[in-house]
C-alpha cells in the first residue's frame, strides 16, 4: 500500500501550518508584551519562596539565560537533565532554533543550515574547538554526535575576534558537561526502545532498535578535581519507501508531453544504524585563578543500508529499444503511458558505512587577581570513513536485446509517485522468464565487460591540529575594559580516495572467449521472503548481496576502461590566526553599553594533490600526480555592542567580516578528460554546439567566500523563561564560488591519445573547455527573524505549567555568477540550503511530574545536497517540509524519585522528503517516505 500525498494537499497543509504558527506568534505577543511591564512585581512576588524548576522548563530557562548573557547574537539549547537534550538528535534540537533548519538523511536530521546558508558555510566546535567531519567536505554531520552526551549547544550568529573557526553563516559550539559545575555526584542511566510503524520492509533488516546511556559525574579533593564520563549506545533502524526517477522526457506540451524517463530501482530501503559514543572530562581547579581541563570524545558509527527494486528505462529508453504510447495527458504531463519492449534491471544494493570520530583537547587557564589572564589550548581531532557502495544487477538475459521483455503501464499524476504495472514475474528463479545474474542493459559495454554489478569504495581521512594561546589584561581606558591578544595555528589534512570496480561474472572483457554473460542465481544467495514494490509491480527476487560479492562476483578495475581520472584528492591547509579583542564597558547617556571589538588576521596556505591522465613517451596512457595551491591573507574585523536599555530590554548590534573556505572537493587538483564525438567537426570552443575535447577539474587556487555583514537584534525578557526577539541581518557576499565556470584550453597533446587517426582527421579544433570552479560570483543575503518564548502562567495563573516557543524567519538572497571568458554573461545562482521561510514551534505542559509537548518544524523549498552516481554529490531542489513530533512523560517523586518514563513519536504526519527536476513540482525525482517512529523509555538519576 502506498502512502502518497498529492502535491496540492501538501501545499495546502504547509500553508495552513505556517499560517497557524504565525498567527500564534502574533496573538501571543500581545499579552506577553503587556505582562513584560509587570516583571519587577513578579520578581518581588517570587522572592519569598524557592521554586524548583525541572525538566523542559529548566532547559528553556538555562538556554534563555545563555542567550541573554552572551555578548554576541546567539541561540542556545540546554539539556533537561543529565544525558537528556529535548530531542533524540542534536541536529533536531538545533533545527528548532530561530533561523536554523536541517536536511534529513535516511529519515533523520543530518546537516544544518543557518540563516539560509548550507552546511559548508558554517563551522562546528566541540567545547570551543574546531572539529573535523566524516562527510566528503567541511559540513559537519551532526548525527555523529550522540545527543545524550551533550549538555548544551550555542549557535553564534555574530562572531567575535577570539572565536576560532568562525563560519560565514554561523558557528555551532557543542558542549559536554563540566564536572566541577555540578554541586554533587551524579549517576544517571537511561534506555529507550525504538521502532518504526512499518516494521522492516526488507526481510534481512531489523525493524526495532534501542538507545542506552550512562553518565557519571563526581568531584574529589575538596571539589578541586572533577571527573565526568558518558557512554551512549544506539541501534536505530529506519525504513524508506523510496521512488527515484531518471528524469522526464518530452517538451511538456500537449503535442509532446512529459513522460517518466526511467525509475532507479531502489524502492524498498532499510537502514540499520549502530553507534557507540563516549566522552571523558577531567577538570582540575586547585584555586579560583587556575583551571586545567582535558576532554576526550569518541564515536564509532556503523550503518548498513539495503535497497531493492527494479530499474526500468522508460522515456529515455530509446537506445535500449523501448517505445511508448501516451494514453492520456494533462497540461503537457503524461498521466497514462504504455511502454513496450522494456527490460528491467533487478537491483539488490547494499551500502555499508564505517566511521570513527575522535576528538581530544587540553585547556589551561589562569586568571590572576592583578587583572592578567593567560589561556593555552591544544586539540586534535580525526575522522575516518569507509564506504562500500555495492550495486547488484539481475534480469531475464544479457544486453538490451536478450531475455524476455515486459510491457509496462505507468500511471502518474504530476508531483506524485507513479504506479508501474507489468506482466513479468521478477521473482522467478526458474521457468521461461527465469531471472539470471547478468548485465541486463549492457551497461558495461564501454568497459568493455559484463557489468553484473558495481562497487564504489570511497575512503576519507580528516585530521586537524590546533594550538591556541591568548593573553588578556583588564584595563580602564575610556570605553575599553579589557584587551586580549591571541594566536592560533591550525593544521588540517583531508583525503578522499574512491576505489571503483565493475563486478563481473568472470572471464575478462567482452572480447575474451571465456567471458561469462549470465549465471543462474546460487541458491545460497536467495532470501526466501521476496520484496514487493509499493509502486505496483509484483515481487522481486531478494538476494544476499554480500554473499555475491564474497563468492560470485569478480572485480574488474574501471581504470583499465576509461581515460577519466579517479575522483581521489588530498587537501592540506595551514591556517595561522592572530587576533586582538577589546572589551567594551561604557555608557551612552544613561544606557550602559557593553560588548567587544577586534580584528582577526587570518593567513591560509592551501594545497591539493590529485591525478590526471597523460600520455607518456611510449605512447601509453597513464595516471600521473598533479599538485597546486595558493596562499592568502584576510583581515576580519568584528564589532558587538549591547545596549542595556533596561533590566529586561536589550538592543544588540553586530558588524563583521567573515569567511568560509571553499568545499574541499572544489579545491581538488584532480582532472578528468572527456570526448564528445558528436562535436568533432565544431571549430568554436565557445559555440553552442560544444567542443569535442574537454576537461573537468577542481581549482586548488580558489579563494574563500567573504561576507561583510550587519546584524541587529531587539530582545525583551520577562520572567526566567520568557522573551521576545526580533532580529535582522544583511550579508554582502564576495568571491562566491562559481562551480560552472569554464576556460578555453588547447588539448593538442591529449587529442593524440583520446582520438583515433580517423577522428583526428575530422577534428575541427584542438581548443576545448576546462570546466572548473572560480570565484566569479557575488551577491547578498538578507533576512529577518522573530522568536517568542511564553510560559503561560505569566499571562494567567491557572495556566501554570503551560507554555510555548515559536519562531519565524524570512530569508532572501540574490547571487549572480559569471564566466571568466564572458564577464557580461551572468547567471542567477540559488544558495544551497536556503529556505525563504522557516518556522519552528513547540507547545508544552509540565506540572506535577507530568510532561507533554508537541513540536513543529516547517521550511519552504530549498536546494538540497544528495548522493549521486559513483559516490559523487549533487544539488537538487527539495520540496518544503512540515514535521510534527510529540512527547509524553512522567517524573516520579517520593520513593521513586529520580525515575522518569517517556513516550515519543517522531514524524507523526509521515512527511516525505521530495526533490524535483528543474524546480518543476510536477517532475518528481526523489520521494522518500520514512513512516512514523516511536520510542518508549525510562531514565533514572541516582
Amino acid at each position: 500500500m502506498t502512502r502518497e500525498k498529492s502535491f496540492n494537499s501538501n501545499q495546502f497543509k504547509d500553508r495552513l501550518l505556517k499560517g497557524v504558527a504565525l498567527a500564534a506568534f502574533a496573538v501571543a505577543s500581545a499579552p506577553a508584551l503587556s505582562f513584560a511591564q509587570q516583571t519587577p512585581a513578579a520578581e518581588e512576588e517570587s522572592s519569598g519562596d524557592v521554586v524548583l524548576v525541572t525538566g523542559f522548563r529548566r532547559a528553556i530557562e538555562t538556554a534563555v539565560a545563555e542567550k541573554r548573557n552572551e555578548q554576541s547574537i546567539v541561540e542556545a539549547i540546554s539539556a533537561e537533565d543529565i544525558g537528556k537534550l529535548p530531542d533524540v538528535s542534536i541536529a533536531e534540537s538545533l533545527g528548532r532554533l530561530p533561523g536554523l533548519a536541517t536536511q534529513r538523511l535516511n529519515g533523520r536530521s543530518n546537516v544544518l543550515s543557518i540563516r539560509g546558508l548550507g552546511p559548508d558555510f558554517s563551522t562546528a566546535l566541540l567545547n570551543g574547538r574546531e572539529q573535523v567531519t566524516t562527510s566528503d567536505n567541511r559540513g559537519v554531520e551532526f548525527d555523529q554526535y550522540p545527543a545524550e552526551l551533550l549538555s548544551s549547544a550555542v549557535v553564534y550568529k555574530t562572531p567575535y575576534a577570539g572565536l576560532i573557526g568562525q563560519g560565514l553563516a554561523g558557528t555551532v559550539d557543542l558542549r559536554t558537561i563540566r564536572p566541577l559545575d555540578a554541586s554533587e555526584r551524579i549517576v544517571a542511566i537511561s534506555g529507550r526502545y525504538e521502532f518504526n510503524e512499518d516494521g522492516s520492509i526488507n526481510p534481512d533488516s531489523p525493524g526495532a532498535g534501542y538507545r542506552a546511556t550512562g553518565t557519571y559525574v563526581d568531584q574529589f579533593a575538596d571539589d578541586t578535581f572533577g571527573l565526568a564520563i558518558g557512554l551512549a549506545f544506539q541501534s536505530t533502524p529506519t525504513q524508506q519507501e523510496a521512488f527515484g526517477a531518471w528524469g522526464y522526457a518530452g517538451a511538456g506540451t500537449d503535442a509532446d508531453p512529459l513522460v517518466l524517463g526511467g525509475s532507479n530501482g531502489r524502492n524498498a530501503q532499510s537502514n540499520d544504524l549502530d553507534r557507540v559514543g563516549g566522552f571523558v572530562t577531567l577538570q582540575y581547579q586547585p584555586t579560583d585563578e587556575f583551571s586545567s581541563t582535558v576532554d576526550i570524545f569518541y564515536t564509532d558509527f556503523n550503518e548498513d543500508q539495503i535497497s531493492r527494486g527494479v530499474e526500468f528505462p522508460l522515456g529515455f529508453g530509446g537506445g535500449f529499444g523501448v517505445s511508448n504510447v501516451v494514453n492520456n495527458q494533462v497540461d503537457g504531463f503524461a498521466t497514462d503511458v504504455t511502454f513496450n519492449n522494456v527490460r528491467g534491471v533487478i537491483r539488490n544494493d547494499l551500502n555499508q558505512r564505517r566511521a570513527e570520530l575522535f576528538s581530544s583537547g587540553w585547556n589551561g587557564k589562569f586568571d590572576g587577581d592583578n587583572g592578567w589572564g593567560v589561556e593555552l589550548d591544544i586539540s586534535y581531532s580525526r575522522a575516518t570513513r569507509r564506504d562500500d557502495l555495492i550495486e547488484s544487477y539481475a534480469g531475464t538475459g544479457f544486453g538490451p536485446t536478450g531475455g524476455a521483455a515486459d510491457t509496462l503501464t505507468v500511471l502518474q499524476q504530476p508531483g506524485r509517485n507513479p504506479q508501474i504495472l507489468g506482466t513479468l514475474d521478477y521473482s522467478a528463479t526458474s521457468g521461461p522468464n527465469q531471472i539470471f545474474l547478468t548485465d541486463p542493459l549492457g551497461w558495461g559495454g564501454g568497459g568493455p565487460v559484463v557489468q553484473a554489478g558495481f562497487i564504489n569504495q570511497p575512503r576519507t581521512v580528516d585530521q586537524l591540529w590546533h594550538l591556541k594561546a591568548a593573553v588578556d589584561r583588564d584595563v580602564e581606558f575610556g570605553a575599553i575594559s579589557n584587551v586580549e591578544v591571541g594566536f592560533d595555528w591550525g593544521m588540517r589534512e583531508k583525503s578522499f580516495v574512491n576505489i571503483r570496480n565493475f563486478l563481473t561474472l568472470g572471464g575478462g572483457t567482452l572480447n575474451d572467449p571465456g567471458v561469462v554473460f549470465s549465471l543462474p542465481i546460487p541458491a545460497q544467495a536467495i532470501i526466501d521472503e521476496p520484496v514487493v514494490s509499493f509502486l505496483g509491480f509484483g515481487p522481486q527476487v531478494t538476494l544476499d548481496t554480500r554473499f555475491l560479492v564474497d563468492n560470485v562476483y569478480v572485480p574488474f578495475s574501471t581504470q583499465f576502461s576509461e581515460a577519466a581520472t579517479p575522483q581521489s584528492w588530498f587537501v592540506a591547509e595551514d591556517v595561522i590566526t592572530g587576533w586582538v579583542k577589546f572589551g567594551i564597558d561604557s555608557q551612552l547617556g544613561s544606557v550602559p553599553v557593553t560588548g567587544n571589538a577586534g580584528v582577526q588576521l587570518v593567513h591560509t596556505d592551501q594545497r591539493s594533490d590529485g591525478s590526471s591522465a597523460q600520455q607518456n613517451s611510449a605512447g601509453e596512457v597513464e595516471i600521473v600526480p598533479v599538485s597546486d595551491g595558493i596562499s592568502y591573507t584576510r583581515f576580519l574585523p568584528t564589532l558587538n555592542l549591547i545596549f542595556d536599555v533596561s533590566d529586561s530590554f536589550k538592543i544588540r548590534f553586530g558588524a563583521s567580516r567573515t569567511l568560509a573556505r571553499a568545499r574541499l572537493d572544489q579545491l581538488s587538483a584532480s582532472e578528468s578528460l572527456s570526448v564528445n564525438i558528436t562535436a568533432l567537426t565544431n571549430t568554436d570552443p565557445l559555440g553552442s554546439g560544444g567542443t569535442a575535447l574537454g576537461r573537468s577539474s577542481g581549482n586548488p587556487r580558489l579563494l574563500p567566500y567573504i561576507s561583510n555583514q550587519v546584524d541587529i537584534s531587539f530582545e525583551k525578557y520577562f520572567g526566567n523563561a520568557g522573551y521576545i526577539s526580533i532580529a535582522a541581518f544583511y550579508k554582502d557576499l564576495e568571491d562566491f564560488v562559481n562551480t560552472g565556470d569554464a576556460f578555453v584550453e588547447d588539448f593538442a597533446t591529449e587529442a593524440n591519445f583520446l582520438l583515433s587517426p580517423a577522428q583526428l582527421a575530422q577534428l575541427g579544433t584542438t581548443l576545448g573547455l576546462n570546466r572548473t570552479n572560480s570565484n566569479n560570483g557575488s551577491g547578498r543575503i538578507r533576512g529577518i527573524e522573530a522568536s517568542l518564548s511564553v510560559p503561560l502562567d505569566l499571562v494567567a495563573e491557572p495556566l501554570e505549567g503551560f507554555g510555548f516557543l515559536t519562531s519565524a524567519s524570512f530569508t532572501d538572497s540574490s547571487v549572480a555568477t559569471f564566466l571568466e571568458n564572458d564577464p557580461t554573461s551572468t547567471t542567477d545562482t540559488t544558495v544551497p540550503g536556503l529556505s525563504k521561510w522557516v518556522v519552528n514551534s513547540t507547545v508544552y505542559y509540565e506540572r506535577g511530574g507530568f510532561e507533554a509537548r508537541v513540536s513543529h518544524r516547517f521550511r519552504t523549498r530549498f536546494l538540497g545536497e544528495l548522493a549521486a552516481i559513483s559516490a559523487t554529490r549533487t544539488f537538487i531542489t527539495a520540496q518544503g517540509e512540515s514535521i510534527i513530533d510529540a512527547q509524553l512523560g512522567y517524573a516520579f517523586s517520593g520513593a521513586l524519585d529520580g525515575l522518569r518514563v517517556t513516550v515519543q513519536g517522531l514524524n507523526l504526519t509521515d512527511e516525505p522528503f521530495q526533490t524535483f527536476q528543474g524546480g518543476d513540482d510536477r517532475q518528481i525525482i526523489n520521494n522518500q517516505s520514512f513512516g512514523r517512529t516511536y520510542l518508549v523509555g525510562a531514565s533514572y538519576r541516582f
Side-chain angles (χ1 to χ4, degrees):
M1 181 180 70
T2 67
R3 295 199 305 273
E4 292 183 347
K5 304 175 183 68
S6 72
F7 169 71
N8 290 336
S9 64
N10 268 340
Q11 195 175 53
F12 174 78
K13 178 185 67 176
D14 287 347
R15 290 174 176 172
L16 177 63
L17 288 170
K18 182 172 73 173
V20 170
L22 292 174
F25 183 92
V27 172
S29 297
L33 288 172
S34 64
F35 179 83
Q37 309 303 320
Q38 307 170 11
T39 299
E43 290 176 350
E44 180 180 348
E45 179 182 349
S46 64
S47 62
D49 299 312
V50 176
V51 179
L52 180 62
V53 179
T54 61
F56 186 61
R57 286 193 295 166
R58 183 172 67 177
I60 296 174
E61 291 185 3
T62 304
V64 170
E66 181 79 39
K67 178 180 176 70
R68 185 172 186 171
N69 296 330
E70 276 282 353
Q71 290 195 333
S72 300
I73 298 176
V74 306
E75 307 296 342
I77 55 174
S78 178
E80 302 175 39
D81 201 350
I82 296 294
K84 190 176 188 302
L85 275 168
D87 291 283
V88 298
S89 159
I90 182 61
E92 288 169 353
S93 293
L94 291 168
R96 301 195 195 284
L97 294 175
L100 277 69
T102 62
Q103 180 180 322
R104 290 184 291 171
L105 171 71
N106 299 330
R108 62 181 184 272
S109 295
N110 173 248
V111 294
L112 194 67
S113 294
I114 302 176
R115 287 184 159 177
L117 288 162
D120 291 306
F121 295 94
S122 58
T123 304
L125 313 177
L126 181 62
N127 295 318
R129 304 178 180 106
E130 185 179 1
Q131 296 298 291
V132 293
T133 173
T134 57
S135 74
D136 291 349
N137 281 285
R138 301 183 189 275
V140 167
E141 296 179 324
F142 285 95
D143 53 7
Q144 294 290 326
Y145 296 90
E148 299 90 337
L149 300 182
L150 302 171
S151 62
S152 64
V154 176
V155 179
Y156 291 91
K157 293 181 174 178
T158 60
Y160 59 90
L163 183 63
I164 301 301
Q166 56 186 251
L168 184 146
T171 306
V172 181
D173 188 10
L174 309 176
R175 299 173 180 177
T176 57
I177 191 171
R178 307 286 88 179
L180 292 182
D181 290 346
S183 59
E184 59 182 1
R185 175 190 297 171
I186 300 171
V187 180
I189 57 174
S190 66
R192 281 175 286 185
Y193 175 74
E194 181 174 356
F195 62 95
N196 186 278
E197 66 174 347
D198 294 327
S200 177
I201 59 178
N202 279 284
D204 48 346
S205 185
Y210 66 89
R211 295 169 182 247
T213 309
T215 307
Y216 171 79
V217 181
D218 207 349
Q219 305 81 33
F220 309 92
D222 296 327
D223 291 338
T224 61
F225 179 78
L227 171 66
I229 301 174
L231 288 173
F233 303 88
Q234 177 181 352
S235 178
T236 297
T238 56
Q239 313 298 324
Q240 300 176 49
E241 290 184 348
F243 165 70
W246 290 6
Y248 291 81
T253 63
D254 290 349
D256 186 18
L258 293 166
V259 298
L260 182 62
S263 65
N264 73 4
R266 284 163 286 197
N267 308 132
Q269 298 188 10
S270 298
N271 297 273
D272 182 20
L273 166 62
D274 294 310
R275 184 183 62 190
V276 178
F279 80 91
V280 176
T281 297
L282 302 172
Q283 191 175 9
Y284 178 59
Q285 188 170 349
T287 67
D288 291 339
E289 292 79 21
F290 175 75
S291 65
S292 175
T293 306
V294 175
D295 291 294
I296 299 174
F297 190 95
Y298 173 81
T299 62
D300 182 85
F301 181 100
N302 296 328
E303 183 173 26
D304 292 342
Q305 180 186 76
I306 298 171
S307 301
R308 295 189 171 101
V310 183
E311 187 160 11
F312 295 112
L314 300 172
F316 295 144
F320 302 112
V322 178
S323 62
N324 69 77
V325 176
V326 176
N327 304 314
N328 190 50
Q329 60 92 18
V330 177
D331 297 329
F333 189 94
T335 58
D336 185 344
V337 188
T338 300
F339 292 92
N340 301 302
N341 201 39
V342 180
R343 288 172 174 83
V345 181
I346 300 173
R347 300 285 295 266
N348 284 267
D349 296 353
L350 174 64
N351 297 334
Q352 295 181 310
R353 168 165 293 188
R354 305 293 181 258
E356 288 183 297
L357 176 67
F358 173 80
S359 178
S360 62
W362 171 80
N363 179 274
K365 186 180 295 185
F366 176 81
D367 289 312
D369 291 335
N370 58 0
W372 284 95
V374 179
E375 182 179 6
L376 181 65
D377 193 281
I378 303 173
S379 64
Y380 172 75
S381 60
R382 176 184 173 91
T384 60
R385 193 194 81 214
R386 298 175 292 111
D387 289 350
D388 288 333
L389 311 178
I390 307 168
E391 301 177 4
S392 171
Y393 313 146
T396 58
F398 171 77
T401 59
D406 202 352
T407 298
L408 299 178
T409 299
V410 176
L411 307 175
Q412 185 179 19
Q413 295 298 316
R416 298 184 63 182
N417 288 340
Q419 291 292 292
I420 302 176
L421 309 176
T423 60
L424 289 183
D425 180 3
Y426 292 98
S427 66
T429 56
S430 62
N433 296 330
Q434 180 178 350
I435 305 299
F436 298 91
L437 297 178
T438 188
D439 184 353
L441 295 179
W443 285 342
V449 296
V450 176
Q451 183 180 333
F454 199 89
I455 181 168
N456 285 284
Q457 296 177 298
R459 309 286 190 255
T460 64
V461 178
D462 192 0
Q463 53 186 352
L464 173 65
W465 282 95
H466 267 288
L467 173 62
K468 172 184 172 183
V471 178
D472 71 278
R473 167 72 170 169
D474 293 334
V475 298
E476 294 182 6
F477 186 76
I480 300 175
S481 60
N482 180 272
V483 179
E484 178 182 291
V485 179
F487 166 86
D488 181 89
W489 183 13
M491 296 166 285
R492 184 173 192 170
E493 295 181 346
K494 186 159 189 172
S495 61
F496 175 87
V497 177
N498 187 15
I499 303 169
R500 307 168 65 200
N501 282 285
F502 296 116
L503 297 178
T504 72
L505 302 174
T509 68
L510 291 176
N511 299 323
D512 293 335
V515 64
V516 179
F517 289 95
S518 62
L519 281 176
I521 300 173
Q524 304 96 311
I526 299 174
I527 298 173
D528 291 339
E529 184 178 344
V531 170
V532 178
S533 171
F534 74 103
L535 295 177
F537 55 88
Q540 70 168 87
V541 61
T542 306
L543 304 181
D544 183 343
T545 305
R546 177 51 67 180
F547 175 88
L548 295 175
V549 171
D550 294 340
N551 298 278
V552 177
Y553 290 139
V554 178
F556 190 96
S557 175
T558 61
Q559 180 175 335
F560 300 104
S561 62
E562 59 187 11
T565 301
Q567 305 152 350
S568 306
W569 47 259
F570 170 85
V571 173
E573 295 173 333
D574 285 352
V575 181
I576 297 176
T577 304
W579 75 89
V580 178
K581 182 173 70 111
F582 300 95
I584 297 174
D585 190 352
S586 184
Q587 293 274 136
L588 181 63
S590 61
V591 177
V593 180
T594 58
N596 57 73
V599 63
Q600 280 189 358
L601 174 65
V602 181
H603 176 78
T604 302
D605 186 359
Q606 71 188 27
R607 184 188 87 252
S608 176
D609 300 332
S611 53
S612 177
Q614 293 185 12
Q615 188 177 34
N616 61 24
S617 57
E620 300 169 333
V621 179
E622 62 180 5
I623 304 299
V624 299
V626 292
S627 182
D628 199 2
I630 194 174
S631 297
Y632 57 84
T633 302
R634 295 291 183 267
F635 288 88
L636 306 177
T638 59
L639 173 66
N640 288 285
L641 297 176
I642 302 100
F643 301 88
D644 289 304
V645 180
S646 69
D647 290 341
S648 59
F649 181 56
K650 295 177 181 287
I651 299 176
R652 299 179 189 267
F653 174 80
S656 60
R657 181 176 173 88
T658 61
L659 65 79
R661 295 177 180 85
R663 287 166 56 107
L664 295 167
D665 59 357
Q666 294 171 352
L667 296 174
S668 168
S670 288
E671 303 172 336
S672 296
L673 299 172
S674 61
V675 177
N676 181 6
I677 300 299
T678 63
L680 275 176
T681 59
N682 293 349
T683 59
D684 183 4
L686 298 178
S688 59
T691 61
L693 303 174
R695 186 191 308 273
S696 297
S697 64
N699 185 357
R701 293 179 170 269
L702 280 177
L703 298 173
Y705 300 82
I706 293 292
S707 172
N708 302 298
Q709 53 199 42
V710 177
D711 296 78
I712 190 168
S713 175
F714 302 90
E715 302 168 3
K716 178 71 174 180
Y717 295 89
F718 40 92
N720 293 325
Y723 78 92
I724 182 171
S725 171
I726 298 176
F729 64 90
Y730 182 89
K731 298 178 184 288
D732 178 65
L733 303 177
E734 303 173 1
D735 291 335
F736 199 90
V737 174
N738 177 9
T739 58
D741 211 336
F743 304 85
V744 175
E745 182 179 338
D746 192 342
F747 291 89
T749 301
E750 290 81 359
N752 290 325
F753 65 86
L754 288 174
L755 301 177
S756 67
Q759 292 169 337
L760 280 172
Q762 301 178 56
L763 186 63
T765 178
T766 58
L767 298 179
L769 291 180
N770 183 343
R771 294 171 176 82
T772 185
N773 311 306
S774 71
N775 289 109
N776 293 332
S778 61
R780 52 108 178 119
I781 297 179
R782 58 188 177 185
I784 187 168
E785 302 165 347
S787 53
L788 177 67
S789 172
V790 180
L792 289 178
D793 59 336
L794 301 181
V795 179
E797 188 173 345
L799 297 178
E800 180 181 355
F802 287 97
F804 71 90
L805 306 91
T806 187
S807 67
S809 63
F810 175 80
T811 306
D812 180 52
S813 72
S814 176
V815 175
T817 58
F818 64 90
L819 299 179
E820 184 72 16
N821 290 307
D822 185 8
T824 63
S825 176
T826 60
T827 302
D828 292 334
T829 299
T830 301
V831 177
L834 188 146
S835 291
K836 282 189 175 293
W837 283 98
V838 175
V839 180
N840 297 309
S841 304
T842 297
V843 178
Y844 64 89
Y845 172 76
E846 282 192 350
R847 189 171 184 180
F850 288 99
E851 306 168 348
R853 62 176 175 268
V854 177
S855 297
H856 167 234
R857 288 179 289 147
F858 168 81
R859 67 182 304 187
T860 54
R861 65 171 55 194
F862 62 98
L863 188 66
E865 183 179 3
L866 280 78
I869 188 171
S870 295
T872 58
R873 309 292 291 179
T874 187
F875 290 98
I876 189 169
T877 302
Q879 181 60 287
E881 297 180 328
S882 187
I883 301 170
I884 296 178
D885 305 323
Q887 176 173 312
L888 295 172
Y890 183 76
F892 291 87
S893 57
L896 296 177
D897 186 34
L899 176 64
R900 173 186 290 180
V901 294
T902 306
V903 177
Q904 293 172 280
L906 309 179
N907 191 29
L908 293 178
T909 54
D910 190 13
E911 187 75 354
F913 176 76
Q914 298 177 325
T915 63
F916 296 89
Q917 177 171 280
D920 183 349
D921 294 345
R922 301 179 303 169
Q923 301 180 54
I924 185 170
I925 296 295
N926 294 285
N927 185 43
Q928 300 171 2
S929 183
F930 307 107
R932 300 166 182 84
T933 298
Y934 301 96
L935 298 95
V936 180
S939 63
Y940 189 78
R941 176 170 171 172
F942 296 87

